[in-house]
Amino acid sequence: MAGTKLGGTKAATTNKEKHGKDFYARIGAMGGKKGRTGGFAANPELARIAGAKGGRISRRRKKDAVVA
């Protein structure tokens, strides 16, 4: 019954019985702790610079561009 909603519910129940009620919280926390990138939250100034660069890039064609 793999791949169905009922199968997923049964798997979740089995995992909680085998590994404890906090099984999904624990594996989620493990994944969160493995991250090492930091992202823009760690450096707001870098986020400002990157946003400015992105804002300067036009996605429109130039008016005098020849249509192929």
Side-chain angles (χ1 to χ4, degrees), residues 39-41 43-57:
F40 283 144
N43 191 346
E45 180 62 18
L46 182 62
R48 192 189 70 76
I49 293 167
K53 285 180 181 179
R56 280 194 295 270
I57 300 170

